[in-house]
Amino acid sequence: MLSRFQFTKTDFLVCAQAILFAILFAVWPLPHTIFIRNFCLELGAVIGLYQIYTYRNFLTNKNAIPIYLIVALFVWATIHLLFLSNDFALQLGEYQSIWKRSLIGAIFALGFGLGIPNTSPKARQCTWAIFYLGLVLPTLIYILKFSLLYYEKQSGIHVGSYWHIYIAKTAYMGFCIPALAVALGQIYSQINQEKWLTWANLIYLGTIPAVLFVFYAENIKNGALYSLIFILVFIGLITYQYFKASPVKIGLLLALVILGSVFFIKQHIEKNPSWQTFIADSKVATQVEHIDAWRVCRSEAPENDLGIQVSDTNYSRIAWGISALKLVAQYPLGYGLVEGSFGHLGKKIWPESCLTQSHSGWLDLALGIGVPGMFWVLGGFLFSLSLLKNIPLGSAALLSPWVAMAFSVLLCFLLIWCTTEISQKIYFEELLFFLAFSGAIAIVGTSTNQKSLLE
């Protein structure tokens, strides 16, 4: 009996990487965890190097393009530093920190992804369970923090200084919403395999209100907006494909998803009156050449068509986005910094400005690594997505959770980076980690050797 569950060396290595990922993802957005993060990244990368060498045959076929695009990105970053730098000292600092950790994370992720299909079915199940737990740990940690602080407020008993440390809302966008996107993708994948009432689906369903609670409690507009988009896409796909065949099951599932989501989203909208003035504020924000309040420190906010001052959260972000887009056209090779290029370029053009970031991750990144750099990044996304969408979930049952996860995560990042201030250290590292990981899943999923690997 014991021999049936005996793990191979590859099984142990992949499970070890899953554990390292779960720890890494749990602490990635938390302050004072740099030692743990670096330990997980470096040990995962050491294992990853072994796996990349062992399964290097996967990297010699045409489907490996997403990985070579990531390699090209690191080459471009080196060329930009050496020959195109606007501030060599700052850029070198990022090269030795953000880019170094991103490379280590990409090696970890690539080896992890290549190793998964070469494990036994039992090890794959174990790996997926650990991996998904890691995805939801940031959400669970926030709920624990919220509960402890609520208990402290009610009882007067101090729960510890660490739980009072401020964490930016961006952290919850970067590390909580992927779990919601993956949960919806897994439910869709399970339905494709005609699996309805399962423990796994109940766990995935429970993830949705948990993530929405984080966005409601922290009053995160971006989180509510993108959650609504993901849920509507899920509802549309499920209704279009399966409602006629299984109206009762689909109706019950949709009722659970909708009821678990509408309450939080409705409360969020009522909590943020800025949604009601969004259009009026947008009209003012587009006049970036005539109204300069968006770039001048401590300037008085202009009025909109309704005769009231614009909401800064609407006005500034739209004006910054328009201005950043113009700067991309002016500086197609980029300033060179992953973080803060918008502010540096703004200071060069408008010396009195106090800009930092445009609140669009993609625009900020484009201003940093330039159009060539964005070609490598977005090319990796699009090639991986095109490969993943051609892998039938039902016929690749043992890889289907990973295929659905990779597709969901890539779509999630493509969207949330549009209007989130996320072109920063850990979020860029996270982006490249999942890009490399998804690329590896896409490679092995479309490989001609897939059938033999899964048998």
Side-chain angles (χ1 to χ4, degrees):
M1 287 291 291
L2 290 175
S3 61
R4 290 175 56 193
F5 303 106
Q6 188 172 14
F7 278 15
T8 65
K9 179 171 70 173
T10 300
D11 292 342
F12 278 115
L13 290 177
V14 171
C15 284
Q17 282 186 304
I19 294 170
L20 290 170
F21 167 80
I23 298 170
L24 171 66
F25 203 74
V27 304
W28 223 337
L30 300 179
H32 310 311
T33 59
I34 187 67
F35 174 79
I36 301 174
R37 281 183 270 153
N38 287 344
F39 174 81
C40 292
L41 280 171
E42 290 167 9
L43 182 55
V46 170
I47 300 172
L49 283 172
Y50 170 80
Q51 290 167 321
I52 291 169
Y53 178 77
T54 303
Y55 307 114
R56 60 191 180 278
N57 60 300
F58 282 113
L59 302 178
T60 58
N61 63 55
K62 63 181 181 180
N63 292 332
I65 291 175
I67 303 305
Y68 290 115
L69 289 172
I70 297 174
V71 173
L73 174 65
F74 285 99
V75 173
W76 168 250
T78 305
I79 292 172
H80 202 297
L81 170 68
L82 296 177
F83 304 107
L84 302 170
S85 176
N86 287 281
D87 190 324
F88 185 82
L90 282 178
Q91 202 166 331
L92 180 62
E94 280 201 348
Y95 192 80
Q96 295 173 331
S97 56
I98 298 175
W99 286 100
K100 181 181 73 174
R101 286 193 298 270
S102 296
L103 177 60
I104 294 170
I107 293 170
F108 176 176
L110 177 58
F112 187 20
L114 293 178
I116 286 170
N118 297 283
T119 56
S120 64
K122 190 74 175 177
R124 268 195 293 275
Q125 292 174 9
C126 179
T127 302
W128 173 251
I130 297 169
F131 180 87
Y132 189 78
L133 173 63
L135 276 180
V136 299
L137 273 175
T139 302
L140 297 178
I141 289 171
Y142 174 82
I143 293 173
L144 173 62
K145 173 185 176 180
F146 182 91
S147 302
L148 287 173
L149 293 179
Y150 180 81
Y151 171 77
E152 179 181 88
K153 185 178 179 180
Q154 296 297 314
S155 65
I157 299 175
H158 187 58
V159 296
S161 300
Y162 187 79
W163 298 105
H164 288 268
I165 297 176
Y166 171 76
I167 298 176
K169 293 181 179 181
T170 309
Y172 300 118
M173 274 297 295
F175 290 91
C176 291
I177 202 166
L180 183 143
V182 170
L184 292 171
Q186 292 305 312
I187 296 171
Y188 180 78
S189 174
Q190 292 269 305
I191 292 173
N192 263 286
Q193 299 171 60
E194 298 184 355
K195 297 177 181 177
W196 294 85
L197 190 60
T198 64
W199 285 111
N201 277 341
L202 291 176
I203 292 171
Y204 300 142
L205 278 170
T207 303
I208 299 170
V211 174
L212 289 174
F213 174 78
V214 175
F215 296 149
Y216 171 74
E218 287 295 308
N219 194 27
I220 304 174
K221 290 179 66 177
N222 273 347
L225 173 64
Y226 288 115
S227 296
L228 178 61
I229 292 173
F230 296 151
I231 290 167
L232 288 177
V233 169
F234 170 79
I235 290 172
L237 285 173
I238 291 294
T239 304
Y240 176 75
Q241 293 191 25
Y242 299 106
F243 189 76
K244 288 184 179 179
S246 305
V248 176
K249 290 180 179 179
I250 291 296
L252 180 60
L253 174 65
L254 295 182
L256 288 172
V257 172
I258 293 170
L259 288 174
S261 309
V262 167
F263 172 77
F264 292 108
I265 293 172
K266 178 177 178 294
Q267 293 294 317
H268 172 81
I269 292 173
E270 292 177 351
K271 199 174 180 179
N272 289 275
S274 59
W275 284 115
Q276 300 170 19
T277 62
F278 182 80
I279 295 176
D281 295 342
S282 301
K283 293 178 182 178
V284 182
T286 56
Q287 302 175 48
V288 291
E289 302 295 339
H290 306 292
I291 304 174
D292 61 3
W294 56 273
R295 60 179 169 84
V296 178
C297 296
R298 294 179 294 278
S299 60
E300 185 177 351
E303 291 187 353
N304 57 28
D305 293 343
L306 303 176
I308 58 176
Q309 282 191 330
V310 295
S311 167
D312 182 63
T313 192
N314 292 334
Y315 168 74
S316 294
R317 282 158 177 74
I318 295 171
W320 290 335
I322 293 171
S323 301
L325 190 59
K326 292 180 179 180
L327 287 175
V328 171
Q330 279 183 261
Y331 299 91
L333 294 180
Y335 186 81
L337 298 174
V338 171
E339 185 174 343
S341 284
F342 180 58
H344 287 281
L345 289 171
K347 204 74 175 176
K348 181 186 291 187
I349 300 171
W350 310 288
E352 80 284 4
S353 69
C354 54
L355 303 172
T356 54
Q357 292 179 280
S358 71
H359 280 256
S360 168
W362 291 129
L363 288 176
D364 283 322
L365 190 59
L367 289 172
I369 64 177
V371 174
M374 292 302 294
F375 175 82
W376 309 128
V377 174
L378 296 180
F381 269 85
L382 296 178
F383 270 105
S384 294
L385 286 170
S386 66
L387 293 174
L388 291 165
K389 73 179 180 62
N390 291 322
I391 304 174
L393 296 179
S395 63
L398 292 176
L399 272 184
S400 61
W402 300 101
V403 173
M405 177 280 301
F407 197 87
S408 302
V409 162
L410 291 184
L411 282 180
C412 173
F413 284 133
L414 272 175
L415 285 174
I416 69 171
W417 271 66
C418 289
T419 61
T420 308
E421 187 186 7
I422 209 167
S423 184
Q424 300 176 44
K425 297 176 183 177
I426 59 174
Y427 312 110
F428 184 69
E429 296 162 18
E430 177 196 24
L431 180 79
L432 291 191
F433 181 96
F434 277 103
L435 185 55
F437 188 48
S438 300
I441 297 296
I443 293 170
V444 298
T446 54
S447 171
T448 54
N449 297 323
Q450 180 193 1
K451 184 176 179 181
S452 63
L453 287 171
L454 294 176
E455 287 176 351

